[in-house]
């Protein structure tokens, strides 16, 4: 070290380095108490660049539109270079664009799609920044030519070119990405055109610096042991190996053997300890692998590896008590049980590593055991105890079960075990642990310390499989398994197809789904149409579809209806889920077979015959262009008149003919037809032609008021004949003078009824009423109006100050007379309404007085209310009075109770009931 060289930490600093003095290879040596290690080599070079050769560059010929590469070919140099090109005498550098590119790796200029303007001289400029110097190469002429050669490539060893190779557009450049050893060889370029052929060869050689395949590792050995180290490295050419110890080359000696990458040292002693390096080197690089060798010499010591304080084993088991003291060289081992030297036997023996093994342990083997370790440097002892426990046994293992889906089962798993050992139960299903702590659906652990039963609630099909109960203790693990088969209804059939369809039948095929562990016994087919309520079972041929039948013919379908089908499977467990629906298909059309029903009619105007029927629903029309056929003839005639009604939803037809007389009977039949033809006709019905409205108005119309809301209208019946028009009944019209509409009410009565009560009227109001007859043709003229006035409203105030007296089974009631207002009807009397508490039937007693007596058996409570009676009807009721049964009254010797309600002020009323006894 000097002013020129100095150390900065582990780094070497060189002041004012000189090319002639400091150029060369450097290595760092690092040393501590354990040894010395040598670093990788570092090469120090000075940047420079020489001048280009003055040799003239060859002309480069290229065809217009093709690409070209102009080679820079830098002179000898060291240091980072940057490249640029000039064109002709232009001092500016060639600018890179989408056609021009300068590689800063090689300095080459790439021109894509050469144009005539590209023809000229190109010069390469190189700058070495570290050397602070630039050099200029000779110009390269670029000319345009028309006879461009065809170029091809090959390998001279006969192997095909690698599939990964890439070519330039003109194939003048061959690129081999990711070059590997198998790519090395001699490559040949063949250029040819109409004037001749030329060849050029080049050899590609693969090389690789050394790379470790196996390194040496730190090793700790006992004195007198042997060391064997091996290191391996790959590279091309193959590397050679040297060994160093503490930075100095290691040479073979009596105890040291070196061969290629192996190092063997026998009879180690403490002086062999140190830092070793294996160096692998070829002409491209040297690499190092480092490791420490430490040679140890010491007396036995248990401080780091003491014997286990308590070794626990079960009766009948095997136990190994380890004895591994640190000792260099290795210690000789012997054992004591208690104070006695342990003798080896068929059951008790010492292993090669000094550990004690006892086979088929019994209770008598429990106790303390001492390991004694001895070598030339000393003796050490260490003691541990052997604890013997009873074995764990699965007494009730799970057993095979066959169950039905939805059931709940218990899989037993019960053990006997040493009371001092904790037992853990684990269940797994098909190899996956069931995490019962997280509350897995369907699974539940039940039982106590020695019971690990597994309950499966509402078992499902996917619960079929192997169940394993594992019992774990700190000493052992044992298990038992059982197969559970869950049987359920079949899965849905698959691939339901309609093979053929006619007007009333359809041929279906399907594939069975899963039988869910119970053989399929039966299939059934269901159909759905736009007119059905959900899916409906259909008839098939064969009638019964057993579990081996996978096709059938559905019969009894309606023509010209869209159907979709599904299949359901069943087994001994039940009926499964249905299949997916088939595609929707329409049955073929046919002549309609359903005739209309409920043929009726009548009414209408003169010269009309009105015919009605129930229309045929769409699902029974059997085809397109559906309509109705009307057949009619006068009763007694032999000739039918035929009419068509081409409307699907029609249910009424009016036949008009001026020759038809009123109320003439006709025989009528209604049929159906569609595009396929005419179908069935209904049975014959008698329908009468239309008639005229009644011509006469009723006489003797009168109105009588019954109450504030009800009146009766009466009239005289009309004696009618064919000329005056038939009368089917009467229509009553009523109104008031101030009503906004001409008629506020209209009520009909049929037959010869000549009176009608009208309710819901306003009180104290004048009503007008008129009556007219009606028949199927309409209504006749109205009678002259008659009028009547409804009664005044009933009293609005209920009876007040009601008092009652109960003696034995006689109840006396008294109340104040109700005074009415000017617009209310006078009070004519009173109604007493009474009923037992638990019965709904109400009894009524009427009186003109303000008192009443009831003789009733008071075996339970009675409910009583009182209301007024007037011409306007019943008035408001009093509040309901509860009369308690006799047994609940407390009289203290007197069976008399008084009650007064509706007090306006606190009063004391005295009244007399028949015998005129005073009440308080």
């Amino acid at each position: 070290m000097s002013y020129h060289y100095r150390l900065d930490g582990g780094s070497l600093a060189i002041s004012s380095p000189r090319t002639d003095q400091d150029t060369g290879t450097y290595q760092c040596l690092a040393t501590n108490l354990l040894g010395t290690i040598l670093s990788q080599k570092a090469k120090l070079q000075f940047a420079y660049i020489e001048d280009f050769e003055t040799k003239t560059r060859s002309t480069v010929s290229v065809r217009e539109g093709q690409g070209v590469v102009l080679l820079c070919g830098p002179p000898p140099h060291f240091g980072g270079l940057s490249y640029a090109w000039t064109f002709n005498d232009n001092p500016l550098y060639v600018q890179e664009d989408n056609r021009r590119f300068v590689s800063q790796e090689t300095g080459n200029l790439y021109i894509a799609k050469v144009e005539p303007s590209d023809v000229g001289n190109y010069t390469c400029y190189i700058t070495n920044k570290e050397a602070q110097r630039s050099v200029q190469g000779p110009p390269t002429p670029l000319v345009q030519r028309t006879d461009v050669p065809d170029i091809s490539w090959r390998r001279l060893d006969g192997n095909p070119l690698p599939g990964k190779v890439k070519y330039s557009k003109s194939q003048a450049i061959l690129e081999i990405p990711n070059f590997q050893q198998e790519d090395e060889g001699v490559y040949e370029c063949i250029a040819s055109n109409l004037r001749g052929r030329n060849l050029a060869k080049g050899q590609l050689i693969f090389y690789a610096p050394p790379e470790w395949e196996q390194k040496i590792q730190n090793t700790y050995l006992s004195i007198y042991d042997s060391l064997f180290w091996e290191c391996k490295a790959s590279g091309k050419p193959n590397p050679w190996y040297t060994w160093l110890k503490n930075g100095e080359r290691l040479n073979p000696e009596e105890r040291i053997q070196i061969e290629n990458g192996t190092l063997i040292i026998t009879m180690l002693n403490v002086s062999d300890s140190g830092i070793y390096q294996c160096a692998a080197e070829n002409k491209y690089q040297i690499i190092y692998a480092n490791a420490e060798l430490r040679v140890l010499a010491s007396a036995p010591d248990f401080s780091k590896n003491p014997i286990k304080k308590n070794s626990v084993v079960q009766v009948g088991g095997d136990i190994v008590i380890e004895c591994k003291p640190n000792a260099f060289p290795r210690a000789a081992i012997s054992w004591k049980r208690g104070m006695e030297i342990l003798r080896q036997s068929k059951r008790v023996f010492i292993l090669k590593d000094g550990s004690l093994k006892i086979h088929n342990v019994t209770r008598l083997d429990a106790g303390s055991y001492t390991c004694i370790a001895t070598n030339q440097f000393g003796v050490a002892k260490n003691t541990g105890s052997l604890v013997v426990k009873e074995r764990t046994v699965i007494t009730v293992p799970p057993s095979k079960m066959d169950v039905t889906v939805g059931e709940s089962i218990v899989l037993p798993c019960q053990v006997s075990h040493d009371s001092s050992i904790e037992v853990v139960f684990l269940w797994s299903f098909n190899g996956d642990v069931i995490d019962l702590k997280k509350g897995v659906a369907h699974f539940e652990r039940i039982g106590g310390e020695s019971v690990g039963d597994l309950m499966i609630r509402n078992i499902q099909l996917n619960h079929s499989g192997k169940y394993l109960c594992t019992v774990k203790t700190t000493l052992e693990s044992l298990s038992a398994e059982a197969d559970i088969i869950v049987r359920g209804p079949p899965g849905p059939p698959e691939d339901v197809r309609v093979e053929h369809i006619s007007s009333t039948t359809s041929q279906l095929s399907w594939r069975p789904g899963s039988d869910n562990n119970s053989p399929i016994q039966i299939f059934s087919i269901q159909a759905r149409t736009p007119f059905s309520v959900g899916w409906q079972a259909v008839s098939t041929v064969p009638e019964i579809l057993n579990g081996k039948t996978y096709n059938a013919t559905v019969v009894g379908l309606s023509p010209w209806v869209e159907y979709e089908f599904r299949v359901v499977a069943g087994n001994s467990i039940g009926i499964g889920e249905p299949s997916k629906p088939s595609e929707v298909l329409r049955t073929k059309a046919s002549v309609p077979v359903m005739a209309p029903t409920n043929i009726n009619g009548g009414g209408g105007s003169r010269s009309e015959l009105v015919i009605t029927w129930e229309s045929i629903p769409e699902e029974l029309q059997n085809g397109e262009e559906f309509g109705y056929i009307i057949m009619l003839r006068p009763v007694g005639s032999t000739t039918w008149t035929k009419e068509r009604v081409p409307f699907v939803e029609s249910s009424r037809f009016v036949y008009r003919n001026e020759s038809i007389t009123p109320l003439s009977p006709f025989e009528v039949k209604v049929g159906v037809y569609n595009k396929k033809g005419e179908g069935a006709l209904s049975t014959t019905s008698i329908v009468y032609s239309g008639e005229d409205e009644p011509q006469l108005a009723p006489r003797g119309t009168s109105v009588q008021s019954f109450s504030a809301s009800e009146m009766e209208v009466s009239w005289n019946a009309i004696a009618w004949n064919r000329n005056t028009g038939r009368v089917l009944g009467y229509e009553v019209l009523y109104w008031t003078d101030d009503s906004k509409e001409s008629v506020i009410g209209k009520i009909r009565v049929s037959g010869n009824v000549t009176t009608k009560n009208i309710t819901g009227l306003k009180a104290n109001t004048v009503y007008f009423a008129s009556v007219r007859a009606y028949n199927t043709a309409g209504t006749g003229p109205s009678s002259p109006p008659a009028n009547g006035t409804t009664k005044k409203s009933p009293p609005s105030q209920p009876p007040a100050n009601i008092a009652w007296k109960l003696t034995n089974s006689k109840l006396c009631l008294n109340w104040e007379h109700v005074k009415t207002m000017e617009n209310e009807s006078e009070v004519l009397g009173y109604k007493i309404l009474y009923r037992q508490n638990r019965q709904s039937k109400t009894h009524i007693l009427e009186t003109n007085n303000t008192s009443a007596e009831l003789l009733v058996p008071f075996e339970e409570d009675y409910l009583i209310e009182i209301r007024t009676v007037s011409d306007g009807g019943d008035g408001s009721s009093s509040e309901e009075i509860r009369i308690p049964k006799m047994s609940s009254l407390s009289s203290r010797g007197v069976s008399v109770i008084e009650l007064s309600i509706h007090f306006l002020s606190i009063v004391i009323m005295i009244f007399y009931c028949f015998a005129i006894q005073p009440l308080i």
Side-chain angles (χ1 to χ4, degrees):
M1 294 295 117
S2 65
Y3 76 93
H4 188 62
Y5 298 108
R6 64 182 176 86
L7 281 176
D8 184 3
S11 301
L12 174 64
I14 304 175
S15 300
S16 303
R18 291 169 51 185
T19 304
D20 57 344
Q21 177 181 345
D22 299 317
T23 299
T25 302
Y26 293 77
Q27 281 184 285
C28 172
L29 283 82
T31 302
N32 65 10
L33 293 175
L34 297 177
T36 301
I37 191 169
L38 195 62
S39 74
Q40 296 276 21
K41 292 180 180 180
K43 183 179 286 187
L44 175 60
Q45 290 180 285
F46 289 82
Y48 72 93
I49 184 169
E50 296 181 3
D51 290 327
F52 275 96
E53 297 180 2
T54 57
K55 181 180 175 181
T56 303
R57 294 285 179 101
S58 300
T59 299
V60 177
S61 299
V62 67
R63 188 175 182 179
E64 182 180 353
Q66 289 190 322
V68 68
V69 180
L70 302 181
L71 305 180
C72 181
H77 66 279
F78 180 76
L81 304 181
S82 62
Y83 301 89
W85 287 78
T86 60
F87 177 57
N88 292 335
D89 296 327
N90 192 332
L92 298 178
Y93 291 142
V94 173
Q95 297 300 308
E96 295 185 46
D97 54 23
N98 58 357
R99 288 197 312 114
R100 298 177 181 87
F101 167 71
V102 177
S103 171
Q104 294 302 320
E105 295 286 337
T106 63
N108 297 339
L109 171 62
Y110 294 80
I111 304 176
K113 297 182 180 179
V114 170
E115 299 175 354
S117 60
D118 295 325
V119 173
N121 292 322
Y122 290 83
T123 303
C124 178
Y125 281 81
I126 304 177
T127 300
N128 188 322
K129 294 182 180 178
E130 288 85 358
Q132 298 182 352
R133 185 169 184 266
S134 297
V135 294
Q136 171 184 342
T140 301
L142 178 64
V143 298
Q144 185 176 337
R145 59 185 295 178
T146 57
D147 54 345
V148 175
D150 293 325
I151 298 174
S152 61
W153 293 83
R154 66 170 182 161
R155 287 178 64 161
L156 294 186
D157 58 8
N159 292 326
L161 292 176
K164 60 188 175 182
V165 300
K166 299 178 182 179
Y167 301 95
S168 63
K169 186 173 182 181
S170 64
Q171 289 201 321
I173 298 175
L174 174 68
E175 178 185 350
I176 305 176
N178 190 24
F179 187 80
Q180 298 295 321
Q181 185 168 352
E182 62 267 18
D183 297 326
E184 71 177 1
V186 178
Y187 288 75
E188 182 179 68
C189 169
I190 303 102
S192 61
N193 60 15
L194 296 176
R195 299 186 180 185
R197 185 168 180 266
N198 201 354
L199 307 175
K201 298 177 184 177
Q203 185 173 8
L204 292 175
I205 299 174
F206 177 86
Y207 75 89
E211 196 171 292
W212 286 119
E213 293 181 352
Q214 180 179 330
K215 293 182 178 181
I216 57 175
Q217 304 294 329
N218 292 340
T219 303
Y220 304 93
L221 294 175
S222 175
I223 189 171
Y224 309 136
D225 282 349
S226 295
L227 169 71
F228 176 84
W229 263 335
E230 182 179 18
C231 58
K232 291 181 181 179
S234 61
K236 189 167 182 183
N238 290 331
W240 63 89
Y241 301 91
T242 55
W243 287 85
L244 299 95
K245 177 186 175 186
N246 293 332
E248 296 182 359
R249 187 177 181 119
L250 192 64
N251 296 312
E253 296 178 3
E254 181 182 353
R255 294 185 304 110
I256 301 174
Q257 302 174 38
I258 298 175
E259 185 176 352
N260 291 329
T262 62
L263 171 64
I264 300 175
I265 305 177
T266 59
M267 289 297 292
L268 290 169
N269 56 56
V270 176
S271 64
D272 292 322
S273 297
I275 303 299
Y276 288 76
Q277 291 179 284
C278 175
E281 183 178 6
N282 65 12
K283 66 178 184 177
Y284 300 108
Q285 191 177 357
I286 182 171
I287 58 175
Y288 295 89
N290 315 318
E292 178 192 358
L293 171 62
R294 188 177 299 179
V295 181
L296 304 172
S298 66
D301 179 19
F302 284 99
S303 61
K304 292 185 179 179
N305 293 311
I307 290 178
K308 191 174 182 181
K309 186 175 182 180
N310 288 300
S311 297
V312 183
V313 67
Q314 291 174 310
V315 173
D318 295 344
I319 184 68
V320 174
I321 305 175
E322 293 186 342
C323 179
K324 295 182 178 180
N326 288 328
F328 303 98
R330 182 176 173 181
I333 302 296
S334 62
W335 285 85
K336 280 186 178 182
R337 180 184 174 196
M339 300 302 294
E340 296 181 2
I341 297 295
L342 195 62
R343 306 289 182 183
Q344 297 195 63
S345 65
K346 292 182 180 180
R347 230 174 35 85
V348 180
F349 43 92
I350 299 174
L351 302 178
K352 288 182 179 181
D353 65 355
S355 299
L356 176 64
K357 182 172 183 179
I358 304 176
H359 175 65
N360 193 16
V361 174
T362 68
R363 282 280 189 183
L364 297 176
D365 293 321
S368 64
Y369 289 81
T370 302
C371 175
I372 306 167
T374 306
N375 71 4
Q376 66 201 67
F377 298 108
V379 178
K381 299 179 181 180
N382 200 236
T383 301
S385 296
L386 177 63
V387 180
V388 181
K389 304 281 189 179
E390 290 295 333
R391 295 190 67 84
T392 302
V393 179
I394 298 179
T395 56
V396 184
S399 59
K400 181 178 181 180
M401 299 182 73
D402 193 319
V403 298
T404 300
V405 67
E407 293 181 353
S408 294
I409 64 170
V410 174
L411 292 174
C413 187
Q414 301 173 15
V415 300
S416 65
H417 62 94
D418 193 293
S419 59
S420 64
I421 297 178
E422 183 180 356
V423 177
V424 176
F425 293 90
L426 294 175
W427 281 93
S428 60
F429 171 51
N430 288 339
D432 296 326
V433 174
I434 304 172
D435 192 349
L436 296 170
K437 292 182 180 179
K438 291 186 177 180
V440 182
H442 301 282
F443 296 102
E444 179 183 343
R445 156 85 191 282
I446 58 176
E449 180 184 356
S450 301
V451 178
D453 296 352
L454 177 68
M455 171 173 276
I456 309 177
R457 300 182 185 275
N458 187 21
I459 198 165
Q460 299 300 303
L461 292 169
N462 59 359
H463 293 148
S464 291
K466 288 187 180 297
Y467 288 80
L468 180 72
C469 175
T470 301
V471 182
K472 288 188 175 182
T473 69
T474 55
L475 302 176
E476 63 182 335
S477 176
L478 51 156
S479 60
E481 72 173 13
D483 288 325
I484 303 299
I485 300 175
V486 182
R487 306 186 190 276
E494 301 172 352
D495 196 22
V496 178
R497 296 186 179 183
V498 179
E499 306 288 351
H500 175 74
I501 194 163
S502 69
S503 60
T504 58
T505 65
S506 176
Q507 293 180 4
L508 265 65
S509 66
W510 62 90
R511 290 189 295 108
S514 170
D515 65 3
N516 291 334
N517 300 318
S518 181
I520 297 174
Q521 297 175 340
I522 193 169
F523 290 101
S524 63
I525 299 177
Q526 298 174 345
R528 180 171 65 181
T529 72
F531 316 107
S532 64
V533 179
W535 293 89
Q536 306 290 332
V538 292
S539 301
T540 60
V541 175
E543 184 177 355
I544 297 176
L545 308 177
N546 63 43
K548 299 296 183 181
T549 302
Y550 306 135
N551 54 70
T553 300
V554 180
V555 297
L557 303 179
S558 297
W560 199 246
V561 172
E562 288 183 338
Y563 280 90
E564 52 184 337
F565 302 94
R566 70 181 187 186
V567 182
V568 179
N571 58 17
S572 61
I573 308 300
I575 302 300
E577 292 292 320
S579 68
K580 291 181 180 179
S582 68
E583 62 176 326
V584 178
L585 292 175
R586 185 188 289 272
T587 51
K588 299 187 183 305
S590 70
V591 173
V593 296
M594 176 68 72
T597 58
N598 198 17
I599 311 301
N600 216 320
S605 303
R606 175 188 284 273
S607 304
E608 288 183 348
L609 177 65
V610 178
I611 303 168
T612 61
W613 62 90
E614 286 189 11
S615 58
I616 301 296
E618 184 181 350
E619 63 267 30
L620 299 177
Q621 293 172 3
N622 292 7
E624 297 176 292
E625 300 179 13
F626 180 84
Y628 296 93
I629 298 173
I630 311 299
M631 304 288 290
L632 59 93
R633 66 183 179 185
V635 172
S637 173
T638 58
T639 303
W640 291 93
T641 299
K642 184 176 183 180
E643 299 285 347
R644 282 187 176 241
V645 181
F647 303 110
V648 172
E649 298 179 357
S650 296
S651 60
R652 185 175 184 271
F653 175 72
V654 179
Y655 175 71
R656 294 179 176 84
N657 193 312
E658 294 299 327
S659 64
I660 297 177
T661 58
L663 291 176
S664 298
F666 280 77
E667 291 181 295
V668 175
K669 292 188 288 186
V670 181
V672 288
Y673 72 92
N674 63 18
K675 193 174 183 179
K676 288 289 185 178
E678 295 183 1
L681 289 168
S682 68
T683 57
T684 302
S685 298
I686 302 299
V687 179
Y688 286 85
S689 62
E691 59 184 330
D692 290 329
E693 298 91 344
Q695 303 298 310
L696 301 177
R699 296 181 180 180
T701 303
S702 64
V703 178
Q704 182 180 357
S705 175
F706 284 168
S707 69
S709 61
E710 182 180 4
M711 66 181 185
E712 180 184 80
V713 180
S714 59
W715 61 91
N716 296 329
I718 297 175
W720 62 273
N721 55 44
R722 185 179 293 273
N723 293 327
T724 61
R726 184 173 58 149
V727 175
L728 295 180
Y730 298 91
E731 187 174 72
V732 178
L733 310 174
Y734 59 96
W735 65 93
T736 63
D737 270 344
D738 57 352
S739 59
K740 295 180 180 179
E741 300 178 1
S742 57
V743 175
I744 62 172
K746 184 188 298 183
I747 301 176
R748 277 194 172 189
V749 295
S750 59
N752 260 345
V753 176
T754 58
T755 60
K756 180 61 180 174
N757 279 6
I758 302 175
T759 59
L761 303 177
K762 293 180 180 179
N764 199 22
T765 302
V766 177
Y767 280 88
F768 296 86
S770 179
V771 183
R772 59 189 181 189
Y774 71 86
N775 60 19
T776 59
T779 56
S782 297
S783 67
N787 64 69
T789 302
T790 53
K791 306 293 186 183
K792 291 182 180 181
S793 298
S796 59
Q797 293 297 320
N801 295 328
I802 301 173
W804 59 270
K805 176 183 178 183
L806 178 61
T807 305
N808 295 327
S809 61
K810 183 172 67 175
L811 175 67
C812 295
L813 295 167
N814 199 326
W815 58 90
E816 283 187 355
H817 177 68
V818 175
K819 296 180 180 179
T820 60
M821 302 175 69
E822 186 178 349
N823 62 344
E824 294 177 344
S825 296
E826 291 293 329
V827 175
L828 300 179
Y830 299 90
K831 285 183 180 178
I832 297 102
L833 292 84
Y834 60 97
R835 62 183 174 88
Q836 289 183 347
N837 185 32
R838 297 182 182 179
Q839 296 182 3
S840 59
K841 183 179 179 181
T842 300
H843 303 276
I844 298 175
L845 174 67
E846 293 193 21
T847 179
N848 295 331
N849 302 315
T850 58
S851 61
E853 181 181 278
L854 296 177
L855 294 174
V856 291
F858 281 88
E859 296 175 353
E860 59 179 270
D861 295 355
Y862 266 80
L863 300 176
I864 295 176
E865 59 183 85
I866 303 172
R867 66 176 62 156
T868 56
V869 177
S870 70
D871 284 341
D874 291 353
S876 300
S877 295
S878 67
E879 289 188 4
E880 198 170 61
I881 304 170
R882 178 180 295 275
I883 308 296
K885 59 185 179 180
M886 290 293 297
S887 61
S888 65
L889 299 177
S890 176
S891 61
R892 287 182 296 179
V894 181
S895 297
V896 179
I897 292 182
E898 298 84 25
L899 175 67
S900 179
I901 64 172
H902 271 275
F903 287 101
L904 296 178
S905 61
I906 300 176
V907 298
I908 298 177
M909 284 194 62
I910 300 176
F911 72 94
Y912 295 86
C913 178
F914 296 94
I916 315 181
Q917 295 174 332
L919 298 177
I920 298 178

